[in-house]
């Protein structure tokens, strides 16, 4: 889709500034996928210490966060109480995440990441650059461009943690990533 | 300088797309500064484990990386062997970084971060948006927009690690960050 992952520029199928943003989202995602490549279920569920999130839980968190920002900017509303309830573990992580966000192979997370991203890209393709400037009606300190930059920024921060955690997995000699 | 840190939009004094990029760099930096606020010299030098970089070393790394990307895009050249030698510890981190990148208070890192950033912003202010599209002559797979997005992206990944490390400092109850 993107001609080179190491160029940020307009992309066919998107308004120009949205295309640049899609390049950033796509590059960030490529680094996340590289950081988790080949991890086993046990590695995805591994808890580094009593306060850590597993790598699998962090991937579930990325899916939930992206979905919540779709609701905020594409549907222009906050999450409903029911949605907050359903997604709160993946959004908040912590003790409940350590308890329940586990038992899934990498394919599960990759499919969920791809599915939520498909909605993001399809919807961004329908928008014009002017939409990016707009104040988010349910969160008026933000504009849509910040929110979608933040989706990448949030993912990148957790990817930094995933790399760190992966390098310290019990069998880290084979699992080591940058 | 930026009207709100939670909006990405053109900024007075910069070409429009460069202004958006500056908003991202500035937001990323604000999260780094928040992540290290109030850390003592001992906390900046603390090594979480035998393979970890200290938070201070990570800050030195951000300074060195931003400087190297200035050379790559503003001066359009690779680092000289002498520059590589002089900066290699901060650029590469690892064992030598654990040995020598220590002993500085937070103010030292904050001043270095601000100084290198000032050069980035002053130079970006002199450029037009068309410059961002250009292929980097010394690294032709990259364009300048990717490089400057990467400066933010690289900082954000390490900030994710800094937050994680800060939450696990010996006196983490008072030092805990998000």
């Amino acid at each position: 889709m993107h001609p080179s992952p190491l160029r940020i520029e307009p992309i066919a199928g998107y308004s120009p500034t949205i295309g640049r943003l899609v390049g950033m989202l796509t590059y960030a995602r490529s680094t996340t996928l590289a950081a988790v490549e080949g991890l086993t279920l046990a590695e995805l569920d591994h808890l580094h210490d009593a306060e850590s999130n597993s790598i699998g839980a962090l991937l579930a968190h990325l899916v939930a966060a992206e979905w919540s920002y779709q609701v905020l900017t594409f549907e222009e509303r906050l999450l409903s109480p029911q949605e907050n309830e359903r997604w709160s573990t993946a959004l908040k992580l912590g003790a409940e995440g350590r308890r329940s966000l586990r038992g899934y192979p990498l394919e599960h997370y990759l499919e969920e990441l791809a599915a939520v991203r498909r909605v993001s890209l399809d919807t961004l393709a329908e928008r014009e650059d002017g939409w990016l400037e707009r104040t988010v009606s349910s969160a008026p300190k933000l504009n849509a461009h910040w929110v979608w930059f933040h989706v990448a920024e949030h993912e990148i921060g957790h990817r930094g943690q995933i790399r760190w955690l992966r390098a310290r997995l019990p069998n880290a000699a084979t699992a080591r990533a940058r």
Side-chain angles (χ1 to χ4, degrees), chain A:
Chain A
M1 174 189 59
H2 195 290
S4 158
L6 302 178
R7 299 182 69 89
I8 299 295
E9 56 196 352
I11 299 178
Y14 298 94
S15 206
T17 302
I18 291 179
R20 294 177 186 277
L21 182 63
V22 167
M24 297 178 198
L25 287 161
T26 302
Y27 177 77
R29 175 59 48 87
S30 73
T31 67
T32 302
L33 298 182
V36 299
E37 190 182 0
L39 290 177
T40 65
L41 191 150
E43 289 170 333
L44 289 163
D45 283 353
H46 179 72
L47 294 170
H48 178 79
D49 64 28
E51 298 289 321
S52 282
N53 300 301
S54 70
I55 294 175
L58 289 171
L59 294 177
H61 178 61
L62 296 181
V63 171
E66 183 162 343
W67 170 79
S68 76
Y69 290 119
Q70 289 176 354
V71 172
L72 188 68
T73 61
F74 297 160
E75 302 183 28
E76 299 190 71
R77 62 177 180 85
L78 300 175
L79 301 189
S80 70
Q82 293 76 16
E83 288 169 332
N84 252 321
E85 170 84 10
R86 184 184 157 201
W87 288 84
S88 86
T89 303
L91 288 171
K92 295 181 183 169
L93 297 175
E96 178 59 20
R98 278 184 285 280
R99 202 187 59 77
S100 63
L101 295 172
R102 51 194 301 111
Y104 296 104
L106 183 59
E107 292 66 32
H108 165 82
Y109 296 111
L110 297 184
E111 283 165 17
E112 297 234 313
L113 284 163
V116 73
R117 178 54 52 91
R118 199 172 308 121
V119 173
S120 299
L121 296 186
D122 287 353
T123 310
L124 288 170
E126 296 165 358
R127 306 295 160 117
E128 298 296 327
D129 280 351
W131 175 81
L132 275 184
E133 301 281 315
R134 284 173 49 180
T135 295
V136 176
S137 56
S138 304
K141 288 186 180 170
L142 321 178
N143 74 355
H145 199 169
W146 183 85
V147 171
W148 284 94
F149 161 67
H150 178 63
V151 170
E153 183 260 330
H154 173 259
E155 176 164 346
I156 293 160
H158 286 303
R159 180 218 64 205
Q161 296 170 338
I162 289 171
R163 286 183 182 166
W164 198 97
L165 291 167
R166 181 175 185 149
R168 287 159 179 82
L169 286 171
N171 189 19
T174 56
R176 188 174 299 272
R178 267 202 306 152

Coordinates of all heavy atoms in Angstrom, one line a residue, chain A residues 112-152:
Chain A
E112 N -6.7 -9.3 15.4 CA -7.4 -8.2 16.0 C -6.8 -6.8 15.7 O -7.5 -5.9 15.4 CB -7.4 -8.4 17.5 CG -8.1 -9.6 18.0 CD -9.2 -9.3 19.0 OE1 -8.9 -8.6 19.9 OE2 -10.3 -9.8 18.8
L113 N -5.4 -6.8 15.7 CA -4.8 -5.6 15.3 C -5.1 -5.2 13.8 O -5.4 -4.1 13.5 CB -3.2 -5.7 15.4 CG -2.7 -5.7 16.8 CD1 -1.3 -6.3 16.8 CD2 -2.7 -4.3 17.3
A114 N -5.1 -6.2 12.9 CA -5.4 -6.0 11.5 C -6.9 -5.5 11.3 O -7.2 -4.6 10.5 CB -5.1 -7.2 10.7
A115 N -7.8 -6.1 12.1 CA -9.2 -5.8 11.9 C -9.5 -4.4 12.3 O -10.2 -3.6 11.6 CB -10.0 -6.8 12.7
V116 N -8.9 -3.9 13.5 CA -9.2 -2.6 13.9 C -8.5 -1.6 13.0 O -9.1 -0.5 12.7 CB -8.9 -2.4 15.4 CG1 -7.4 -2.4 15.7 CG2 -9.5 -1.2 16.0
R117 N -7.4 -1.9 12.5 CA -6.6 -1.0 11.7 C -7.4 -0.9 10.3 O -7.4 0.2 9.7 CB -5.2 -1.5 11.5 CG -4.3 -0.7 10.5 CD -4.3 0.8 10.9 NE -3.9 1.1 12.2 CZ -2.7 1.3 12.7 NH1 -1.7 1.2 11.8 NH2 -2.4 1.6 13.9
R118 N -8.0 -2.0 9.8 CA -8.7 -1.9 8.6 C -9.8 -0.8 8.7 O -10.0 0.0 7.8 CB -9.3 -3.3 8.2 CG -9.6 -3.4 6.7 CD -10.0 -4.9 6.4 NE -9.0 -5.8 6.9 CZ -9.2 -6.8 7.7 NH1 -10.3 -7.0 8.3 NH2 -8.2 -7.6 8.1
V119 N -10.5 -0.8 9.8 CA -11.6 0.2 10.0 C -11.0 1.6 10.0 O -11.5 2.5 9.4 CB -12.4 -0.1 11.3 CG1 -13.4 1.0 11.5 CG2 -13.1 -1.5 11.1
S120 N -9.8 1.7 10.7 CA -9.2 3.1 10.8 C -8.8 3.6 9.4 O -9.2 4.7 9.0 CB -7.9 3.0 11.6 OG -8.2 2.6 12.9
L121 N -8.2 2.7 8.6 CA -7.7 3.1 7.3 C -8.9 3.3 6.3 O -8.9 4.3 5.5 CB -6.7 2.1 6.7 CG -5.4 1.9 7.5 CD1 -4.5 0.9 6.7 CD2 -4.7 3.2 7.8
D122 N -9.9 2.5 6.4 CA -11.0 2.6 5.5 C -11.7 4.0 5.8 O -12.2 4.7 4.9 CB -12.0 1.5 5.6 CG -11.5 0.2 5.0 OD1 -10.4 0.2 4.3 OD2 -12.1 -0.9 5.2
T123 N -11.9 4.3 7.0 CA -12.6 5.5 7.4 C -11.7 6.7 7.1 O -12.2 7.7 6.6 CB -13.0 5.5 8.9 OG1 -13.6 4.2 9.1 CG2 -13.9 6.6 9.2
L124 N -10.4 6.7 7.4 CA -9.6 7.8 7.1 C -9.6 8.0 5.5 O -9.5 9.2 5.1 CB -8.1 7.5 7.6 CG -8.0 7.6 9.1 CD1 -6.6 7.1 9.5 CD2 -8.2 9.1 9.6
A125 N -9.7 7.0 4.8 CA -9.7 7.2 3.3 C -10.9 8.0 2.8 O -10.9 8.6 1.8 CB -9.7 5.8 2.6
E126 N -12.0 7.9 3.6 CA -13.2 8.6 3.3 C -13.2 10.1 3.7 O -14.1 10.9 3.3 CB -14.4 8.0 3.9 CG -14.7 6.6 3.5 CD -15.7 5.8 4.4 OE1 -16.1 6.5 5.5 OE2 -16.0 4.7 4.2
R127 N -12.2 10.5 4.5 CA -12.2 11.8 5.1 C -11.3 12.7 4.2 O -10.4 12.3 3.6 CB -11.7 11.8 6.5 CG -12.5 10.9 7.4 CD -13.9 11.3 7.6 NE -14.8 10.2 8.0 CZ -15.5 10.2 9.2 NH1 -15.4 11.2 10.0 NH2 -16.2 9.1 9.5
E128 N -11.5 14.0 4.3 CA -10.7 15.0 3.7 C -9.7 15.6 4.7 O -10.0 15.6 5.9 CB -11.5 16.1 3.1 CG -12.5 15.7 2.0 CD -11.7 15.1 0.8 OE1 -10.6 15.6 0.5 OE2 -12.2 14.2 0.1
D129 N -8.6 16.2 4.3 CA -7.7 16.8 5.2 C -8.3 17.8 6.2 O -7.9 17.9 7.3 CB -6.6 17.5 4.4 CG -5.5 16.6 3.9 OD1 -5.6 15.4 4.2 OD2 -4.7 17.0 3.1
G130 N -9.3 18.5 5.7 CA -10.0 19.5 6.6 C -10.5 18.8 7.9 O -10.6 19.4 9.0
W131 N -11.0 17.6 7.7 CA -11.5 16.9 8.9 C -10.5 16.7 10.0 O -10.8 16.8 11.2 CB -12.0 15.5 8.4 CG -12.5 14.6 9.5 CD1 -13.7 14.6 10.1 CD2 -11.7 13.6 10.2 NE1 -13.8 13.7 11.1 CE2 -12.6 13.0 11.1 CE3 -10.5 13.1 10.0 CZ2 -12.2 12.0 12.0 CZ3 -10.1 12.0 10.8 CH2 -10.9 11.5 11.8
L132 N -9.2 16.5 9.6 CA -8.1 16.3 10.6 C -8.0 17.5 11.5 O -7.6 17.4 12.7 CB -6.8 16.2 9.9 CG -6.4 14.8 9.4 CD1 -5.0 14.9 8.9 CD2 -6.4 13.8 10.5
E133 N -8.3 18.7 11.0 CA -8.1 20.0 11.8 C -9.2 20.1 12.9 O -9.0 20.9 13.8 CB -8.3 21.2 10.9 CG -7.3 21.3 9.7 CD -6.0 21.8 10.2 OE1 -5.9 22.8 10.9 OE2 -5.0 21.2 9.7
R134 N -10.3 19.4 12.6 CA -11.5 19.7 13.5 C -11.2 19.3 14.9 O -10.6 18.3 15.3 CB -12.6 18.9 12.9 CG -13.3 19.5 11.7 CD -14.3 18.6 11.1 NE -15.3 18.1 12.1 CZ -16.3 17.3 11.8 NH1 -16.5 16.9 10.6 NH2 -17.1 16.9 12.8
T135 N -11.8 20.2 15.8 CA -11.9 19.9 17.2 C -12.7 18.7 17.4 O -13.8 18.5 16.8 CB -12.5 21.1 17.9 OG1 -11.6 22.2 17.8 CG2 -12.7 20.8 19.4
V136 N -12.3 17.8 18.3 CA -13.1 16.6 18.6 C -14.2 17.0 19.5 O -14.0 17.5 20.6 CB -12.2 15.5 19.3 CG1 -13.0 14.3 19.8 CG2 -11.0 15.1 18.4
S137 N -15.5 16.8 19.1 CA -16.6 17.4 19.8 C -16.7 16.9 21.2 O -17.1 17.6 22.1 CB -17.9 17.1 19.0 OG -18.1 15.7 18.8
S138 N -16.4 15.6 21.5 CA -16.5 15.1 22.9 C -15.3 15.3 23.7 O -15.2 14.9 24.9 CB -16.7 13.6 22.8 OG -17.9 13.3 22.0
A139 N -14.2 15.9 23.1 CA -13.0 16.2 23.9 C -12.4 17.4 23.2 O -11.4 17.3 22.5 CB -12.1 15.0 23.7
P140 N -12.9 18.6 23.6 CA -12.6 19.8 22.8 C -11.2 20.3 22.9 O -10.8 21.3 22.2 CB -13.6 20.8 23.2 CG -14.3 20.3 24.4 CD -14.0 18.8 24.5
K141 N -10.4 19.7 23.8 CA -8.9 20.1 23.8 C -8.2 19.5 22.7 O -7.0 19.9 22.4 CB -8.3 19.8 25.1 CG -8.7 20.6 26.3 CD -8.0 20.3 27.5 CE -8.4 21.2 28.7 NZ -7.8 20.7 30.0
L142 N -8.7 18.5 22.0 CA -8.0 17.7 21.0 C -8.5 18.1 19.6 O -9.7 18.4 19.5 CB -8.3 16.2 21.2 CG -8.3 15.7 22.7 CD1 -8.6 14.2 22.6 CD2 -7.0 15.9 23.4
N143 N -7.7 17.9 18.6 CA -8.2 17.9 17.3 C -7.9 16.4 16.7 O -7.2 15.7 17.3 CB -7.7 19.0 16.4 CG -6.3 18.9 15.9 OD1 -5.6 18.0 16.3 ND2 -5.9 19.8 15.1
A144 N -8.6 16.1 15.6 CA -8.6 14.8 15.1 C -7.1 14.4 14.7 O -6.7 13.2 14.9 CB -9.5 14.6 13.9
H145 N -6.4 15.4 14.2 CA -5.0 15.0 13.8 C -4.2 14.6 15.1 O -3.4 13.6 15.0 CB -4.3 16.2 13.1 CG -3.2 15.8 12.3 ND1 -2.6 16.7 11.4 CD2 -2.5 14.7 12.2 CE1 -1.5 16.0 10.8 NE2 -1.5 14.8 11.3
W146 N -4.3 15.3 16.2 CA -3.6 14.9 17.4 C -4.0 13.5 17.8 O -3.2 12.6 18.1 CB -3.8 15.9 18.5 CG -3.0 15.4 19.7 CD1 -1.7 15.7 20.0 CD2 -3.4 14.5 20.8 NE1 -1.3 15.1 21.1 CE2 -2.3 14.3 21.6 CE3 -4.6 13.8 21.1 CZ2 -2.3 13.5 22.7 CZ3 -4.7 13.0 22.2 CH2 -3.5 12.9 23.0
V147 N -5.3 13.2 17.7 CA -5.8 11.9 18.2 C -5.2 10.8 17.4 O -4.7 9.8 17.9 CB -7.4 11.8 18.1 CG1 -7.8 10.3 18.3 CG2 -8.0 12.7 19.1
W148 N -5.1 11.0 16.0 CA -4.6 9.9 15.2 C -3.0 9.9 15.2 O -2.4 8.8 15.1 CB -5.2 9.9 13.8 CG -6.6 9.4 13.9 CD1 -7.7 10.1 14.1 CD2 -6.9 8.0 14.0 NE1 -8.8 9.2 14.3 CE2 -8.3 7.9 14.3 CE3 -6.2 6.8 14.0 CZ2 -9.0 6.7 14.4 CZ3 -6.8 5.6 14.1 CH2 -8.2 5.6 14.3
F149 N -2.4 11.0 15.5 CA -1.0 10.9 15.8 C -0.8 10.2 17.1 O 0.1 9.4 17.3 CB -0.4 12.4 15.9 CG 0.9 12.4 16.7 CD1 2.0 11.8 16.2 CD2 1.0 13.1 17.9 CE1 3.2 11.9 16.9 CE2 2.1 13.1 18.7 CZ 3.3 12.5 18.1
H150 N -1.7 10.4 18.1 CA -1.6 9.8 19.4 C -1.8 8.3 19.3 O -1.1 7.5 20.0 CB -2.6 10.4 20.3 CG -2.6 9.8 21.7 ND1 -1.5 9.8 22.5 CD2 -3.5 9.0 22.3 CE1 -1.8 9.1 23.7 NE2 -3.0 8.7 23.6
V151 N -2.6 7.8 18.4 CA -2.8 6.4 18.2 C -1.4 5.8 17.8 O -1.0 4.7 18.4 CB -3.8 6.1 17.1 CG1 -3.8 4.6 16.7 CG2 -5.2 6.4 17.6
A152 N -0.7 6.4 16.9 CA 0.7 6.0 16.6 C 1.6 6.1 17.8 O 2.4 5.2 18.1 CB 1.2 6.7 15.4

